[in-house]
Amino acid sequence: MGSLLYYALPALGSYVMLSIFFLRRPRLLHTPQAPAFCPHLAAHRGGSGERLEHTMEAMENSMAQQADLLELDCQLTRDGVVVVSHDKNLSCQSGHFAHGSDRHMVSLEDVFQRFPRMPMSVEVKEENEELIHKIADLVRHFDRNEITIWASEKSSIMKKCKAANPEMPFSFTQSRGFWLLLLYYLGLLPFMPIQERFLISFLPTIINRTYFPFSCPGLNQLAAVVSKWFLMRKSLIQHLEQRGVQVRLDHHPSARRWLSSVGLAQPFSHSSATQQLGHLGRSLSVSQFLHL
């Protein structure tokens, strides 16, 4: 046993030191991906919380607030039209969660025509090959391959999205995000390739507590705090940024406090910037926050 420790401990120590060294200096092993665009402020669901989500009014309002990325969800109607909607019904666009005068459902084609060079993220909710191929065709038709991001929670859907249009950048799925964390905590992340260009994550402490499975509110809150501790690691985010992966957090004012606490950003003093951060339904680009 003693002889085993004699060789194992130095080997383990060397591995830990190498892992930390390359975690902080990933460009020695990997050529960073050059981003086609670098969003500072994303509009979740086109600007939900301020206007009725996924409406032209919401998107125009978001652009007026200097958003430079529209985050959209896509569904397919019965007559085969790709529309921007989070759900298969109109509950989120009925005025229950926000106010606005525009109540028209918008097609993805109309959005591309109205904002031809605006970067967008299109999330596919279900494994519908017709929907996926129609989105891919629209992106090609409007010459948006480099400024439109594939997004989905499921890896099976993402696989079909990449096959339909491999020229579009894509984000981490849920399972790939867990795999990323596992590699990070095992110290293997610096040595592994990353194909994704974006990591989109919620701050666990601000999402609905019912997302966590416990019946006791206190346990749900504890789960949110523990999840935040595991997910929001400064060294992980900086490592991904140096490798060309843009990290974006769906945020709340607490996001700004967290970013300041870990040294990723200084508190804003400019009133318009503070106002933007306080809006509901917005998102922060952590990688760009470092330069704001």
Side-chain angles (χ1 to χ4, degrees):
M1 183 66 179
S3 60
L4 177 63
L5 290 177
Y6 180 80
Y7 292 105
L9 288 179
L12 179 62
S14 300
Y15 168 71
V16 170
M17 292 179 63
L18 275 175
S19 178
I20 294 174
F21 179 83
F22 286 114
L23 183 72
R24 295 176 178 176
R25 301 166 181 84
R27 296 183 181 182
L28 295 177
L29 295 178
H30 307 279
T31 302
Q33 305 176 74
F37 59 95
C38 299
H40 291 74
L41 184 65
H44 183 59
R45 301 190 190 180
S48 63
E50 298 178 2
R51 300 291 188 273
L52 296 181
E53 66 180 53
H54 287 128
T55 59
M56 285 294 189
E57 181 184 28
M59 297 174 205
E60 290 172 352
N61 178 69
S62 297
M63 293 187 68
Q65 300 296 330
Q66 300 181 9
D68 48 13
L69 174 69
L70 296 178
E71 184 186 81
L72 309 175
D73 304 287
C74 293
Q75 301 282 352
L76 191 68
T77 63
R78 288 183 179 178
D79 57 350
V81 178
V82 181
V83 294
V84 288
S85 178
H86 184 268
D87 305 303
K88 291 184 176 181
N89 54 55
L90 301 177
S91 60
C92 291
Q93 293 160 296
S94 63
H96 180 70
F97 301 102
H99 300 284
S101 58
D102 185 1
R103 296 177 182 270
H104 294 89
M105 178 168 280
V106 183
S107 70
L108 185 62
E109 182 177 4
D110 290 340
V111 177
F112 285 171
Q113 288 178 339
R114 177 66 182 83
F115 310 107
R117 303 314 302 165
M118 180 71 168
M120 299 180 195
S121 165
V122 290
E123 182 170 354
V124 182
K125 297 290 186 182
E126 59 181 19
E127 209 160 331
N128 185 325
E129 293 199 24
E130 182 183 1
L131 170 62
I132 292 170
H133 282 282
K134 286 193 172 185
I135 293 174
D137 291 340
L138 283 170
V139 170
R140 288 193 187 95
H141 177 74
F142 286 94
D143 192 24
R144 298 182 50 89
N145 288 325
E146 293 187 349
I147 60 172
T148 308
I149 308 164
W150 282 123
S152 182
E153 291 185 356
K154 298 180 179 179
S155 294
S156 59
I157 296 177
M158 183 61 74
K159 183 178 179 180
K160 293 182 177 181
C161 291
K162 292 190 293 182
N165 191 336
E167 298 179 30
M168 292 169 56
F170 57 96
S171 61
F172 279 86
T173 61
Q174 198 169 69
S175 61
R176 281 283 296 168
F178 286 128
W179 181 244
L180 176 77
L181 286 175
L182 179 62
L183 292 175
Y184 169 72
Y185 282 106
L186 290 176
L188 293 170
L189 183 59
F191 312 106
M192 304 299 290
I194 298 176
Q195 295 182 332
E196 289 85 353
R197 303 283 291 275
F198 292 86
L199 174 62
I200 301 171
S201 175
F202 286 98
L203 272 177
T205 49
I206 67 166
I207 64 176
N208 193 323
R209 295 292 184 260
T210 58
Y211 181 85
F212 295 98
F214 307 111
S215 57
C216 174
L219 287 177
N220 284 331
Q221 186 173 4
L222 177 62
V225 172
V226 172
S227 298
K228 175 185 172 182
W229 188 89
F230 274 102
L231 290 169
M232 303 293 105
R233 309 309 299 170
K234 177 182 176 181
S235 58
L236 170 61
I237 292 172
Q238 290 183 333
H239 175 83
L240 292 173
E241 185 204 32
Q242 290 186 59
R243 293 181 64 172
V245 179
Q246 299 188 55
V247 182
R248 188 184 56 69
L249 305 174
D250 280 358
H251 84 97
H252 183 271
S254 63
R256 185 174 58 144
R257 291 195 294 270
W258 172 79
L259 288 166
S260 298
S261 71
V262 299
L264 284 175
Q266 297 299 320
F268 278 91
S269 59
H270 195 283
S271 59
S272 64
T274 304
Q275 181 182 9
Q276 291 169 17
L277 288 174
H279 287 323
L280 295 174
R282 293 307 176 87
S283 306
L284 299 174
S285 170
V286 179
S287 59
Q288 289 307 301
F289 225 152
L290 291 166
H291 309 294
L292 285 177

